[in-house]
């Protein structure tokens, strides 16, 4: 305890890489696209590595006990029935769109609620509001949406699906 996995995804087709099955992707709480650093950032990275490995200077910002305490405290952040219903409605909407082959699972609903509790805490609140769900909807839902072949052929990406449901699902 605590158990956490942080992973990177190599481009499809890279030697030795295989796509994860949807059932395994669903177990990752969030997916964060990072992209390439800017030109200036890349210069800074190369300069920082010139004389030493910057990772050698890292120091912990927390410990396992504190992290577990925060995880347990998140359970005390209140989410009303209407907010929980909104989380379910957002995820249910992904299962009803014609461009979606497979929508967000119940595991995804739980992940969205947990992230909204964490966001509320970061905003110094002990309760969740719909904006907390919206704040991390893309990060939590994007990798849980499997698009139809037609959607993929038309260049649709899962972030567009998340945009649509956030715009159209009524907020309580």
């Amino acid at each position: 305890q605590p158990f956490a996995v942080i992973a990177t995804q190599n481009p499809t087709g890279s030697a030795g890489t295989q796509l994860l099955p949807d059932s395994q992707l669903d177990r990752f709480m969030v997916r964060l696209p990072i992209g390439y650093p800017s030109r200036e950032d890349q210069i800074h990275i190369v300069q920082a590595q010139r004389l030493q490995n910057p990772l050698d200077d890292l120091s912990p910002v927390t410990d396992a006990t504190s992290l577990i305490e925060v995880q347990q405290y998140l359970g005390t952040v209140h989410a009303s029935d209407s907010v929980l219903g909104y989380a379910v409605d957002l995820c249910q909407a992904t299962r009803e769109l014609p461009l979606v082959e497979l929508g967000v699972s119940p595991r995804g609903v739980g992940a969205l609620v947990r992230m909204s509790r964490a966001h509320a805490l970061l905003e110094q609140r002990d309760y969740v509001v719909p904006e907390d769900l919206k704040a991390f909807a893309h990060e939590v839902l994007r990798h849980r949406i499997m698009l139809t072949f037609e959607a993929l052929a038309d260049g649709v990406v899962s972030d567009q699906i998340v945009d649509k449901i956030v715009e159209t699902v009524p907020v309580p």
Side-chain angles (χ1 to χ4, degrees):
Q1 287 285 0
F3 176 79
V5 175
I6 299 173
T8 59
Q9 181 178 359
N10 292 325
T12 304
S14 293
T17 63
Q18 301 294 325
L19 292 175
L20 288 175
D22 297 325
S23 60
Q24 289 180 5
L25 281 177
D26 195 30
R27 285 164 170 73
F28 284 88
M29 183 175 251
V30 296
R31 180 178 182 188
L32 305 171
I34 296 173
Y36 290 106
S38 69
R39 182 178 187 277
E40 293 77 22
D41 287 341
Q42 290 179 71
I43 291 171
H44 179 73
I45 290 167
V46 172
Q47 288 172 338
Q49 295 174 348
R50 184 177 52 217
L51 300 175
Q52 67 180 24
N53 184 347
L55 298 178
D56 293 340
D57 295 333
L58 289 180
S59 58
V61 295
T62 190
D63 57 31
T65 302
S66 298
L67 186 57
I68 291 169
E69 287 175 5
V70 170
Q71 288 175 332
Q72 291 171 343
Y73 181 76
L74 284 177
T76 69
V77 176
H78 178 70
S80 69
D81 288 347
S82 64
V83 166
L84 295 176
Y86 182 54
V88 170
D89 292 345
L90 287 170
C91 295
Q92 179 67 34
T94 68
R95 303 174 203 148
E96 297 169 353
L97 295 173
L99 296 176
V100 176
E101 179 74 28
L102 185 64
V104 176
S105 70
R107 184 188 311 270
V109 176
L112 184 58
V113 170
R114 285 191 305 281
M115 284 300 293
S116 68
R117 285 187 164 121
H119 187 258
L121 185 62
L122 290 173
E123 295 293 317
Q124 300 180 346
R125 283 184 276 104
D126 63 354
Y127 58 92
V128 177
V129 295
E131 288 71 24
D132 296 317
L133 295 164
K134 291 179 181 182
F136 282 93
H138 288 86
E139 289 78 5
V140 174
L141 305 181
R142 71 167 49 104
H143 62 289
R144 294 181 159 91
I145 297 171
M146 182 192 303
L147 299 171
T148 64
F149 290 117
E150 293 83 8
L152 294 171
D154 288 341
V156 175
V157 294
S158 59
D159 278 345
Q160 293 170 306
I161 302 298
V162 177
D163 287 341
K164 180 175 178 125
I165 63 166
V166 167
E167 290 170 10
T168 58
V169 172
V171 178

